[in-house]
Amino acid sequence: MKTQQKNRAPVRQPVAVIGAGVAGLAAAARLAVAGHAVTVFEAGPSFGGKMHQFELPGGYRFDAGPSLFTLPQLVDDVFRLAHRAPADYFRYERLDPITNYFFADGTRLAAWAEAGQFAAEVEEKLGAPAAAVTQFLARSGRAYDATAGTFLHKSLHKAGTYFSPETLKAVGALPALGLLGTMHQRHAKAFADPRLVQLFDRYATYNGSDPYQAPATLSMIPHLEHGIGAFYPVGGIYAIAESLHRLAEEFGVKFRFNEPVEEILVADKHVTGLRTAQDVYDFGQVVSNMDVVPTYRRLLPTQPAPERTLAQPRSSSALIFYWGIAREFPELDLHNIFFSSDYQQEFKAIFEGKTVGDDVTVYVNVTSKKTPADAPAGHENWFVMVNVPHDEGQDWDALTQKTRRLVLTRLSGALGVAIEPLIKAEKIWTPPGIAADTSSFGGALYGSSSNNPLAAFLRHPNFSGRLSGLYFCGGSVHPGGGIPLCLLSAKIVAELIG
């Protein structure tokens, strides 16, 4: 439309984007707004990557992958960059409460959005001083404010990042903020009640890590929920992908679905194009939104790979049960956590044993609480997830059967109702399935884990240091996995291409 052409920048060098996941969509939109002719190549039939949706018989709709949404301004920023009103494309509501917690001893607790109200709930239900919670969250906020601009919004692999006053300030702030040691050590020092320690330890799972190994810097994650807010997109998480896809098309981005890239073409250490089964395409710049491991192994078979980077320990994966439930549960909300009784053993099983323990924490997401049309009247759609190791050839049939039994026992006991007879529709997504459907190496949801203090610096950069014209975005590269960080990776790439 004519009104949509006014904001176009002059056409610049064509860019190919491999993969239409959320980072690929955001990168494509940003680059198109900047005036690049962009073509997105997607192996699947549609956009979204892990952020896709599906329905099960009986009228149950599910968001397949991500379920938690924070930092919505990172989506809004893409539309503002395009001089569009974000609300014309995408709307969301702030959650309150954020999560309902069910502890193994029968205690229940609501994580209210406002820090003071949450602290009062903790004091009432767990007996922990409210002041300890508010002080911890305030320090979490200061840590985020001091470091996010450097460590999340910029490339950590460009020298200029380290010579700015902002970076020196961020690094200098870490010791004073008590962000040395591991997450668990940080939380155990702050709180005496082991249930409260467990509650804050779970934030390590937001990037597929182990709180008993992950650095205490990750203790700033709660600030995203209680300081900034957790949100629900109107219509579900898939609405994020839909809105970005719509914007990208308005700015001329071409989408080639069902056309997997077979090779990134290189000459004289410079990207020259792509090869698919359909054709060979000329591109001087290529952005890979595919997991960095298969990008090198499959698409750059003749090029030296950064073996040390690719060998970094992988994040956890997930075993997900999608259940259509023939009943409503008023005690559940959108996000619900049913904790195991021994968190340390649970993570030890995942990261050391590469298996599923005998006592698991269960996450239940019910979007029909917010979007009633996602399930028939009187029913609910349950997205039931357990953290598990990435695929290394385990017997997933046996592990899936075992985990399903553990989940049913845990949920039935906590809710006082036999759950299995209520399941009217079911689908299961295993780590091998995630790997096959999304090209995530081993089904690891977040690329490499953050289980050491230097993990952020060991992630693959957003550009190739060897091949001119090659860039990377998505959860397997800097700054990491999850919706906000994937969107930031797209921002970094778009700025690098310029």
Side-chain angles (χ1 to χ4, degrees), residues 18 50 288-297 299 310 314 438-448 472-477:
I18 303 172
K50 296 183 186 74
S288 178
N289 182 215
M290 178 188 278
D291 187 299
V292 69
V293 176
T295 295
Y296 280 100
R297 301 296 189 224
L299 306 189
L310 301 189
R314 309 301 290 178
T438 68
S439 295
S440 301
F441 182 64
L445 297 181
Y446 307 93
S448 57
F472 301 85
C473 65
S476 68
V477 299

Side-chain angles (χ1 to χ4, degrees), residues 166-486:
E166 183 182 25
T167 299
L168 296 176
K169 180 181 177 182
V171 173
L174 297 182
L177 291 169
L179 297 181
L180 301 178
T182 68
M183 284 186 77
H184 178 75
Q185 288 169 343
R186 171 77 184 91
H187 301 151
K189 183 178 180 180
F191 308 114
D193 192 297
R195 294 167 297 182
L196 191 54
V197 173
Q198 184 177 34
L199 188 155
F200 282 103
D201 277 355
R202 72 169 283 264
Y203 285 100
T205 66
Y206 281 31
N207 64 6
S209 302
D210 175 0
Y212 300 90
Q213 300 182 61
T217 48
L218 297 184
S219 294
M220 69 181 70
I221 296 176
H223 174 68
L224 299 182
E225 293 185 357
H226 294 282
I228 301 173
F231 301 84
Y232 178 74
V234 174
I237 292 289
Y238 185 66
I240 301 172
E242 283 185 313
S243 66
L244 291 172
H245 174 256
R246 175 186 163 193
L247 180 70
E249 284 200 318
E250 287 181 3
F251 276 81
V253 176
K254 297 177 181 177
F255 287 85
R256 301 188 67 87
F257 295 115
N258 294 311
E259 188 169 354
V261 173
E262 295 180 345
E263 186 177 2
I264 298 172
L265 304 178
V266 177
D268 297 325
K269 296 186 178 181
H270 191 100
V271 167
T272 61
L274 302 175
R275 177 176 58 79
T276 74
Q278 284 90 326
D279 208 343
V280 173
Y281 302 88
D282 294 329
F283 288 100
Q285 300 190 87
V286 172
V287 178
S288 178
N289 182 215
M290 178 188 278
D291 187 299
V292 69
V293 176
T295 295
Y296 280 100
R297 301 296 189 224
R298 291 191 224 159
L299 306 189
L300 294 162
T302 64
Q303 299 298 317
E307 298 298 342
R308 184 179 177 185
T309 299
L310 301 189
Q312 291 301 308
R314 309 301 290 178
S315 78
S316 59
S317 184
L319 187 53
I320 307 174
F321 303 91
Y322 307 93
W323 289 338
I325 299 292
R327 188 189 138 166
E328 292 181 315
F329 286 80
E331 60 266 58
L332 299 182
D333 210 299
L334 177 67
H335 300 299
N336 310 274
I337 295 287
F338 296 80
F339 277 123
S340 66
S341 59
D342 191 334
Y343 222 27
Q344 188 165 12
Q345 286 302 314
E346 183 178 355
F347 283 100
K348 187 172 290 188
I350 294 172
F351 288 98
E352 295 181 22
K354 308 296 183 183
T355 188
V356 179
D358 294 327
D359 185 10
V360 296
T361 294
V362 183
Y363 166 67
V364 180
N365 175 251
V366 190
T367 63
S368 59
K369 296 289 186 181
K370 299 296 181 183
T371 307
D374 283 354
H379 292 221
E380 294 180 344
N381 64 333
W382 284 16
F383 168 111
V384 182
M385 188 190 84
V386 173
N387 293 306
V388 299
H390 70 280
D391 178 40
E392 293 187 276
Q394 298 95 324
D395 184 348
W396 286 106
D397 287 340
L399 287 176
T400 299
Q401 292 176 21
K402 169 188 174 178
T403 305
R404 190 176 187 274
R405 290 194 299 270
L406 292 172
V407 168
L408 287 169
T409 299
R410 180 78 183 92
L411 295 180
S412 298
L415 297 173
V417 177
I419 300 300
E420 188 164 27
L422 300 175
I423 300 173
K424 301 304 177 185
E426 180 176 33
K427 179 179 178 179
I428 302 173
W429 212 12
T430 65
I434 294 170
D437 294 342
T438 68
S439 295
S440 301
F441 182 64
L445 297 181
Y446 307 93
S448 57
S449 73
S450 296
N451 285 342
N452 71 69
L454 298 178
F457 303 92
L458 297 175
R459 279 187 171 272
H460 195 287
N462 301 105
F463 60 93
S464 170
R466 186 177 183 278
L467 299 176
S468 174
L470 180 59
Y471 302 87
F472 301 85
C473 65
S476 68
V477 299
H478 177 71
I483 297 172
L485 300 189
C486 285

